[in-house]
PDB file of all heavy atoms in Angstrom:
ATOM      1  N   ASP X 245      -3.603  -8.823  -9.664  1.00 95.00           N
ATOM      2  CA  ASP X 245      -3.658 -10.079 -10.424  1.00 95.00           C
ATOM      3  C   ASP X 245      -3.827  -9.797 -11.922  1.00 95.00           C
ATOM      4  O   ASP X 245      -4.321 -10.638 -12.669  1.00 95.00           O
ATOM      5  CB  ASP X 245      -4.764 -10.985  -9.874  1.00 95.00           C
ATOM      6  CG  ASP X 245      -6.139 -10.346  -9.997  1.00 95.00           C
ATOM      7  OD1 ASP X 245      -6.230  -9.218 -10.540  1.00 95.00           O
ATOM      8  OD2 ASP X 245      -7.126 -10.964  -9.561  1.00 95.00           O
ATOM      9  N   GLY X 246      -3.400  -8.609 -12.356  1.00 96.00           N
ATOM     10  CA  GLY X 246      -3.609  -8.195 -13.755  1.00 96.00           C
ATOM     11  C   GLY X 246      -2.461  -8.520 -14.691  1.00 96.00           C
ATOM     12  O   GLY X 246      -2.403  -8.009 -15.807  1.00 96.00           O
ATOM     13  N   ARG X 247      -1.537  -9.404 -14.275  1.00 97.00           N
ATOM     14  CA  ARG X 247      -0.355  -9.648 -15.112  1.00 97.00           C
ATOM     15  C   ARG X 247      -0.728 -10.067 -16.546  1.00 97.00           C
ATOM     16  O   ARG X 247      -0.212  -9.525 -17.518  1.00 97.00           O
ATOM     17  CB  ARG X 247       0.538 -10.701 -14.460  1.00 97.00           C
ATOM     18  CG  ARG X 247       1.729 -11.049 -15.348  1.00 97.00           C
ATOM     19  CD  ARG X 247       2.723 -11.941 -14.642  1.00 97.00           C
ATOM     20  NE  ARG X 247       3.794 -12.299 -15.566  1.00 97.00           N
ATOM     21  CZ  ARG X 247       4.910 -12.919 -15.221  1.00 97.00           C
ATOM     22  NH1 ARG X 247       5.108 -13.260 -13.969  1.00 97.00           N
ATOM     23  NH2 ARG X 247       5.834 -13.215 -16.116  1.00 97.00           N
ATOM     24  N   LYS X 248      -1.636 -11.037 -16.652  1.00 97.00           N
ATOM     25  CA  LYS X 248      -1.994 -11.530 -18.004  1.00 97.00           C
ATOM     26  C   LYS X 248      -2.595 -10.411 -18.841  1.00 97.00           C
ATOM     27  O   LYS X 248      -2.281 -10.255 -20.024  1.00 97.00           O
ATOM     28  CB  LYS X 248      -2.992 -12.695 -17.903  1.00 97.00           C
ATOM     29  CG  LYS X 248      -2.354 -13.992 -17.513  1.00 97.00           C
ATOM     30  CD  LYS X 248      -3.117 -15.173 -18.128  1.00 97.00           C
ATOM     31  CE  LYS X 248      -2.412 -16.487 -17.832  1.00 97.00           C
ATOM     32  NZ  LYS X 248      -2.775 -17.024 -16.509  1.00 97.00           N
ATOM     33  N   ALA X 249      -3.491  -9.634 -18.236  1.00 97.00           N
ATOM     34  CA  ALA X 249      -4.129  -8.529 -18.965  1.00 97.00           C
ATOM     35  C   ALA X 249      -3.088  -7.525 -19.436  1.00 97.00           C
ATOM     36  O   ALA X 249      -3.139  -7.018 -20.560  1.00 97.00           O
ATOM     37  CB  ALA X 249      -5.170  -7.848 -18.076  1.00 97.00           C
ATOM     38  N   VAL X 250      -2.107  -7.237 -18.582  1.00 97.00           N
ATOM     39  CA  VAL X 250      -1.046  -6.277 -18.948  1.00 97.00           C
ATOM     40  C   VAL X 250      -0.223  -6.854 -20.099  1.00 97.00           C
ATOM     41  O   VAL X 250       0.070  -6.164 -21.089  1.00 97.00           O
ATOM     42  CB  VAL X 250      -0.152  -5.968 -17.720  1.00 97.00           C
ATOM     43  CG1 VAL X 250       1.085  -5.192 -18.129  1.00 97.00           C
ATOM     44  CG2 VAL X 250      -0.938  -5.184 -16.678  1.00 97.00           C
ATOM     45  N   GLU X 251       0.140  -8.117 -20.001  1.00 97.00           N
ATOM     46  CA  GLU X 251       0.976  -8.716 -21.052  1.00 97.00           C
ATOM     47  C   GLU X 251       0.219  -8.781 -22.380  1.00 97.00           C
ATOM     48  O   GLU X 251       0.808  -8.592 -23.444  1.00 97.00           O
ATOM     49  CB  GLU X 251       1.453 -10.108 -20.616  1.00 97.00           C
ATOM     50  CG  GLU X 251       2.520 -10.006 -19.542  1.00 97.00           C
ATOM     51  CD  GLU X 251       3.013 -11.354 -19.040  1.00 97.00           C
ATOM     52  OE1 GLU X 251       2.194 -12.293 -18.937  1.00 97.00           O
ATOM     53  OE2 GLU X 251       4.203 -11.472 -18.729  1.00 97.00           O
ATOM     54  N   ARG X 252      -1.076  -9.025 -22.302  1.00 97.00           N
ATOM     55  CA  ARG X 252      -1.888  -9.045 -23.547  1.00 97.00           C
ATOM     56  C   ARG X 252      -1.990  -7.637 -24.137  1.00 97.00           C
ATOM     57  O   ARG X 252      -1.904  -7.459 -25.340  1.00 97.00           O
ATOM     58  CB  ARG X 252      -3.298  -9.554 -23.239  1.00 97.00           C
ATOM     59  CG  ARG X 252      -3.489 -11.028 -23.560  1.00 97.00           C
ATOM     60  CD  ARG X 252      -4.968 -11.375 -23.670  1.00 97.00           C
ATOM     61  NE  ARG X 252      -5.752 -10.953 -22.516  1.00 97.00           N
ATOM     62  CZ  ARG X 252      -5.935 -11.691 -21.433  1.00 97.00           C
ATOM     63  NH1 ARG X 252      -5.406 -12.893 -21.358  1.00 97.00           N
ATOM     64  NH2 ARG X 252      -6.664 -11.256 -20.440  1.00 97.00           N
ATOM     65  N   ALA X 253      -2.181  -6.645 -23.282  1.00 97.00           N
ATOM     66  CA  ALA X 253      -2.401  -5.278 -23.767  1.00 97.00           C
ATOM     67  C   ALA X 253      -1.101  -4.625 -24.263  1.00 97.00           C
ATOM     68  O   ALA X 253      -1.149  -3.763 -25.141  1.00 97.00           O
ATOM     69  CB  ALA X 253      -3.014  -4.422 -22.654  1.00 97.00           C
ATOM     70  N   PHE X 254       0.047  -5.042 -23.704  1.00 96.00           N
ATOM     71  CA  PHE X 254       1.321  -4.398 -24.078  1.00 96.00           C
ATOM     72  C   PHE X 254       2.356  -5.456 -24.448  1.00 96.00           C
ATOM     73  O   PHE X 254       3.410  -5.569 -23.805  1.00 96.00           O
ATOM     74  CB  PHE X 254       1.840  -3.532 -22.913  1.00 96.00           C
ATOM     75  CG  PHE X 254       0.821  -2.551 -22.404  1.00 96.00           C
ATOM     76  CD1 PHE X 254       0.077  -2.831 -21.258  1.00 96.00           C
ATOM     77  CD2 PHE X 254       0.582  -1.358 -23.082  1.00 96.00           C
ATOM     78  CE1 PHE X 254      -0.883  -1.943 -20.803  1.00 96.00           C
ATOM     79  CE2 PHE X 254      -0.378  -0.473 -22.624  1.00 96.00           C
ATOM     80  CZ  PHE X 254      -1.120  -0.762 -21.484  1.00 96.00           C
ATOM     81  N   PRO X 255       2.069  -6.238 -25.527  1.00 96.00           N
ATOM     82  CA  PRO X 255       2.942  -7.391 -25.828  1.00 96.00           C
ATOM     83  C   PRO X 255       4.361  -6.997 -26.223  1.00 96.00           C
ATOM     84  O   PRO X 255       5.281  -7.797 -26.100  1.00 96.00           O
ATOM     85  CB  PRO X 255       2.220  -8.079 -26.999  1.00 96.00           C
ATOM     86  CG  PRO X 255       1.338  -7.035 -27.596  1.00 96.00           C
ATOM     87  CD  PRO X 255       0.968  -6.099 -26.491  1.00 96.00           C
ATOM     88  N   ARG X 256       4.543  -5.762 -26.669  1.00 94.00           N
ATOM     89  CA  ARG X 256       5.877  -5.361 -27.145  1.00 94.00           C
ATOM     90  C   ARG X 256       6.786  -4.844 -26.025  1.00 94.00           C
ATOM     91  O   ARG X 256       7.974  -4.674 -26.216  1.00 94.00           O
ATOM     92  CB  ARG X 256       5.746  -4.240 -28.182  1.00 94.00           C
ATOM     93  CG  ARG X 256       4.989  -4.645 -29.402  1.00 94.00           C
ATOM     94  CD  ARG X 256       5.839  -4.381 -30.664  1.00 94.00           C
ATOM     95  NE  ARG X 256       5.178  -4.974 -31.815  1.00 94.00           N
ATOM     96  CZ  ARG X 256       4.298  -4.336 -32.546  1.00 94.00           C
ATOM     97  NH1 ARG X 256       4.028  -3.084 -32.281  1.00 94.00           N
ATOM     98  NH2 ARG X 256       3.708  -4.945 -33.560  1.00 94.00           N
TER      99      ARG X 256
END
Side-chain angles (χ1 to χ4, degrees):
D245 62 2
R247 176 172 177 171
K248 283 211 175 84
V250 170
E251 287 179 324
R252 262 198 308 272
F254 307 99
R256 298 235 171 89

